[in-house]
Amino acid sequence: MATPTHANRAPFALIGGRRPSGVSAVGLVFVALLLFWLAVNFVKTPADFIEIALIGLTTGCLYALVALGYTLVYGILELINFAHGDVFMLGGMISATIVTSWFSLTGDQSFFRTWPLVIVTLLIAMTACGLINATIELVAYRPLRNAPRLAPLITAIGVSFILQNIALAWKGPNFVSVPNIFPQSAVFSIGSVEYTWNKLIVVLITVPVLFSLVYLVRYTKQGKAMRATAQDMDAAAMMGINVNRTVSFTFLIAGALAGAAGLLYALYVTNVRYDQGFQLGLIAFTSAVLGGIGNLPGAVLGAILIGLIQAFNEGLTWHTPGSDWTQSIVFAILILILVFRPEGLLGERTPEGG
Amino acid sequence: MALAVDRVKERWREIPPDRRRYTVIAVELAITIALWLWIAELGYGFAYLVSVLWAFRIEDDRIRWAVEAVIVVTTLIFQPPLGIISIIIFALDELPERIRRIALPITAIAVAILYPFYVSHLFELPVFGPFPGVSTGVVMVVFMMMAVGLNIVVGYAGLLDLGYVAFYAMGAYTAAWFASLQFPTHTIHLGAVGISPELPGIHISIWLILAIAGILTAFTGIVIGLPTLRLRGDYLAIVTLGFGEILPQIARNGDNLFGTGFNLTNGPNGITPIDAPGFGERLHDWTAGFLPANFLTAQNAERIFYWGALVLLLITVFCSWRMRDSRLGRAWVAIREDEIAAAAMGVPLMRTKTWAYASGAFFGGIAGAYYASFKSATFPGDFFFNISVFILCMVILGGMGNIWGVILGAAFLSYLDREGLANIGGWLNDNLNVNIDVPLYASGIYGVIILVVMLFRPEGLIPDRRRSHELHEGVADETLYDVRGVAEEAL
């Protein structure tokens, strides 16, 4: 685990350095083309454009919650937790079950019946997913902490498949549908563009969660321990930090975020399937890399960008590849970022990343 | 969890050897009786396995021979094919080490080549059911080829490739492009068999296509590898995963590529039919009917496809084995063990890694092309991430870096995928009064296999000696002073 360049990394940093080069010139041209494409689309269909942007912002918030889990875990263990997307999916499944079977919410009940129960569901889903994630770490990653780097990555894929099959055995191969609990009515509308409540609710739940996470990591003792462990596990242990507990705690937090995302996804998209977690997990991971992996604000920025790109790609009409290509575009972004700017948008350049 | 297992192992080793042996025998006897009472065949099967394993361990020659004779005679009476298998196993065991090193591969090859002749005489295994049929055998051999190819990347060079399916797809589509009606505007014929010379489209002999597929796929591997191989291990894994998702998506959406109307892959309908492989009438006559003119119309087409795949596998294994011991192969192992040290010793990192990637891709491409011409079709739905993990699972289960292990892992898993899981599922549902669709959970079962192997036996079933040293803790990262342990004790 202790690579010689380990200490040079600044985990959870706020702002990184810049690196001017020919590569960034190509990047700038690419970004300029992208902006031009967006501008033309905006001029052609302004109302659609804004509506699509709002959709993108909402999915971006969902991705942010999942991407933060990747970033937290990568920051501390330098492990790509492939199973994270499936933990998120289990969160969606758990929420769907609780909301429909336990509380039998339909969305038609009164405000005071619906919302406390949704909050309770949120807490249950967060706790459950946090515990699942911490258990995964305990069983599948901890025994391999001193093994070659690729060993835990391979087990992570195994765990991901196992979680998918647990969901498959639990809920079957079809979509699990959830009633429309978030109201679809408009919060406000400008012209023909409506901003609906369900989108606002996603943002309203995401933002406090994000702020409490930032508070936790930057201002609490436990957060300090996390940052120290991320920077140098051995040195942190020598300073009296219980490394194993800190790692478990990180997985717990990451899982809780995935659980929150799972609930929001289940209630916003209103259907969940056993294999959705893996795909969405990869998108979220791309967001984390785009923003600079190990960097909390970066993950959020990357997630919102990816959410926007996805929504524009699927919604806009002028010279748009369309939803058939969404996955390819996301992966192309991932590959380009890793090849040309492995430190991401906000990350700091490290000897290891390049 | 693994720690607890270690503790149990330690306790076990403290018991005196004699008592250990008797305990094991008693437990095994109890299991045999229990199984026999439940389902008689299971009891017999278990008893056979246990007695063979014990027979190997008897040190006194005469007693061992006597026990082996008893086993052989008993099995010959009750289950003749098993008796013959026992004779072969014991004969191999009795050979001196130097001869065995040669005899073992030769026996394995002979057993594989003769498989279609004796498979119908074999018995049914308990739980697993009948031995795999010849058409399953073709698939198994193709997957063995892919696993041996992936083993070059993962096992030798230590680069985790999660997008191997892209190479498989590339090979399959190469076969489809050069031996079908996919491009009707061009009419090119070059040694294809079994089709009218006026047929539109490109039709090239399968043997050329295999070479083209290999080279094209290796080239794809280099194109993918050059920009990405600079990245560290886990980033590389992600990038390969990305390519493994992008290429099949291009295959899926390639019927109208980027809105130009150009039909590259025929989209979700796939490309079918693909011309049959074969050697043509002339070679068929020259070799007095030894080389089949056309695989598909020949008698026993399945057998011919099986032998064809086997020949390709043998070539792959030979190349892989020679490459491992070459300068390049040793460079791969050096990079796997310590990249920085290897670079300091003058190993060119980029070139060596790119070669590993290209070689692995080469064999994947050939396997894909052969498989496509066996199925006479290629569909984008065949190329999912699951397949990449499936092949990776073969390599891990068998033993990263060990060719024999990888072949064994591939044979077992592809058999499970094709027939085994369905058979096991049927057996479970009949005997345990449950109703589980076992093949549905195939990927979960691979997940469990990956997890269990990585946690408890990371070197796989048949370990590669070097690799197993690396995987057992801390050779790469061993510190002089275990800070973490001390600090934890202090807390």
Side-chain angles (χ1 to χ4, degrees), chain B residues 19-246:
Chain B
R19 254 177 57 203
R20 240 188 308 180
R21 205 171 300 154
Y22 294 135
T23 324
V24 171
I25 291 178
V27 169
E28 284 171 347
L29 209 62
I31 294 177
T32 311
I33 292 169
L35 285 176
W36 185 77
L37 287 176
W38 183 31
I39 297 165
E41 282 145 23
L42 270 181
Y44 293 137
F46 190 77
Y48 173 76
L49 280 181
V50 167
S51 49
V52 168
L53 287 177
W54 276 110
F56 282 147
R57 282 191 224 163
I58 301 171
E59 280 178 12
D60 189 309
D61 279 347
R62 284 192 209 144
I63 301 178
R64 187 175 65 240
W65 291 334
V67 171
E68 289 178 353
V70 169
I71 294 175
V72 166
V73 170
T74 327
T75 45
L76 273 177
I77 292 168
F78 291 106
Q79 192 65 270
L82 191 62
I84 296 168
I85 294 174
S86 314
I87 293 175
I88 297 174
I89 294 174
F90 289 137
L92 281 172
D93 186 52
E94 292 298 325
L95 287 172
E97 175 67 30
R98 277 177 57 200
I99 303 176
R100 190 167 55 209
R101 281 173 66 101
I102 308 163
L104 203 61
I106 290 176
T107 319
I109 293 169
V111 164
I113 289 177
L114 298 177
Y115 188 73
F117 294 119
Y118 62 78
V119 59
S120 53
H121 304 295
L122 285 174
F123 47 92
E124 269 194 28
L125 287 173
V127 185
F128 287 93
F131 277 81
V134 179
S135 66
T136 306
V138 182
V139 182
M140 284 164 69
V141 177
V142 167
F143 272 101
M144 287 181 212
M145 262 182 88
M146 285 195 243
V148 172
L150 182 64
N151 182 43
I152 295 177
V153 185
V154 179
Y156 295 169
L159 308 164
L160 185 56
D161 185 346
L162 293 179
Y164 201 67
V165 74
F167 302 140
Y168 167 33
M170 191 73 204
Y173 273 97
T174 314
W177 289 327
F178 292 119
S180 74
L181 304 167
Q182 176 61 16
F183 302 113
T185 46
H186 301 70
T187 304
I188 302 169
H189 283 251
L190 192 69
V193 294
I195 47 162
S196 128
E198 283 86 46
L199 205 65
I202 305 174
H203 301 276
I204 295 178
S205 164
I206 176 74
W207 313 112
L208 277 176
I209 289 177
L210 290 184
I212 298 172
I215 294 166
L216 216 69
T217 316
F219 186 71
T220 319
I222 293 174
V223 169
I224 295 175
L226 273 183
T228 55
L229 284 170
R230 288 187 302 130
L231 299 169
R232 230 184 13 197
D234 39 4
Y235 276 170
L236 179 70
I238 281 287
V239 170
T240 52
L241 196 163
F243 276 109
E245 298 273 307
I246 290 177

